[in-house]
Amino acid sequence: MNLFVTPVNIQIDDNTIITVHNRNEAYFYSANMLRIASDCANLVNTTKNPRVFFERYNLLINKLENLSKLEKFNCFTGKSPSDNLREVLGKREFTINDFLNRYCEDVLNKIVNLKTISGKKKKVDNFFSSLKQYESYMTDNNIQTYHFLYEKMLKIILSEQIERIHCIYCNKLIDKDSKFCTYCGKKQ
């Protein structure tokens, strides 16, 4: 055990930097950072919201970087924070693609309940625009993935539109093979 360890500066939040001098302080600050990192990891693996995903992913990296600085105080058991950080950074592309697929599936589940093609297209366009602002966090492969998912959803909407016709009485979209309009009830 090293009695004379150089103090470490860690960033608690955007406005607060603290200096950790000893093992007791390292234990104290690491407990909260571990809790936050765990919450972030859970959200990164489950959320379907781009803002939540990217903000929490960056916070997870920040907390793991700070925890890695505290390793020299020997206050961790098991896998070290620096090992966790390497793993998180190494799986970045996979993690983002996993999120993109989860988000796409959520959008597809939501557009099933929408009645109009324009409403469905708007939801799909929101998918695209909400991800475009986070491209700086993505690899080229991630960007290609979300563009591919966007085009896939547009094709789904287009195929729905082709299989539907307008009722000659109320002008609502109905299935092409319907004998009666589901809105006005008149025979087609």
Side-chain angles (χ1 to χ4, degrees):
M1 184 169 120
N2 191 353
L3 296 177
F4 301 103
V5 178
T6 311
V8 174
N9 290 329
I10 57 173
Q11 186 169 354
I12 298 297
D13 57 39
D14 289 340
N15 301 320
T16 309
I17 295 176
I18 59 157
T19 302
V20 177
H21 300 90
N22 58 48
R23 183 184 236 182
N24 287 339
E25 290 177 0
Y27 274 126
F28 176 78
Y29 290 112
S30 65
N32 192 43
M33 285 189 282
L34 284 168
R35 182 190 57 77
I36 293 169
S38 177
D39 289 346
C40 288
N42 183 46
L43 278 171
V44 162
N45 290 322
T46 59
T47 189
K48 299 166 190 161
N49 180 310
R51 183 185 57 78
V52 171
F53 175 82
F54 288 103
E55 285 179 5
R56 289 305 185 121
Y57 190 83
N58 289 331
L59 184 59
L60 172 62
I61 290 169
N62 174 271
K63 293 304 174 190
L64 290 174
E65 286 172 343
N66 282 327
L67 287 165
S68 295
K69 292 176 185 177
L70 298 177
E71 286 177 4
K72 66 185 195 176
F73 292 104
N74 296 319
C75 58
F76 300 105
T77 58
K79 198 172 189 180
S80 71
S82 57
D83 287 342
N84 284 325
L85 178 60
R86 273 191 295 281
E87 184 177 337
V88 166
L89 292 174
K91 292 182 178 180
R92 183 180 196 109
E93 186 174 297
F94 172 80
T95 303
I96 293 173
N97 275 344
D98 185 50
F99 162 73
L100 294 172
N101 285 303
R102 189 170 57 244
Y103 182 30
C104 175
E105 188 175 320
D106 183 57
V107 170
L108 285 172
N109 287 335
K110 287 179 180 175
I111 66 173
V112 166
N113 298 324
L114 298 175
K115 303 238 185 269
T116 65
I117 299 298
S118 63
K120 292 179 182 199
K121 181 158 182 348
K122 183 177 179 183
K123 195 80 165 158
V124 171
D125 287 342
N126 286 343
F127 166 88
F128 186 83
S129 63
S130 68
L131 292 171
K132 187 132 185 85
Q133 61 186 320
Y134 296 104
E135 280 187 354
S136 63
Y137 298 106
M138 298 183 205
T139 65
D140 289 342
N141 186 16
N142 295 140
I143 293 169
Q144 288 176 350
T145 298
Y146 94 80
H147 281 255
F148 170 79
L149 294 171
Y150 172 70
E151 290 171 14
K152 176 181 150 187
M153 288 190 286
L154 287 177
K155 286 178 184 174
I156 290 170
I157 293 170
L158 181 60
S159 69
E160 274 183 31
Q161 192 172 10
I162 292 169
E163 295 172 5
R164 304 187 94 190
I165 59 170
H166 288 276
C167 171
I168 56 175
Y169 301 103
C170 68
N171 204 33
K172 298 274 186 177
L173 281 175
I174 59 173
D175 290 337
K176 197 175 199 175
D177 57 351
S178 292
K179 293 183 181 182
F180 296 93
C181 176
T182 53
Y183 298 98
C184 68
K186 296 190 178 177
K187 188 173 182 178
Q188 298 299 306

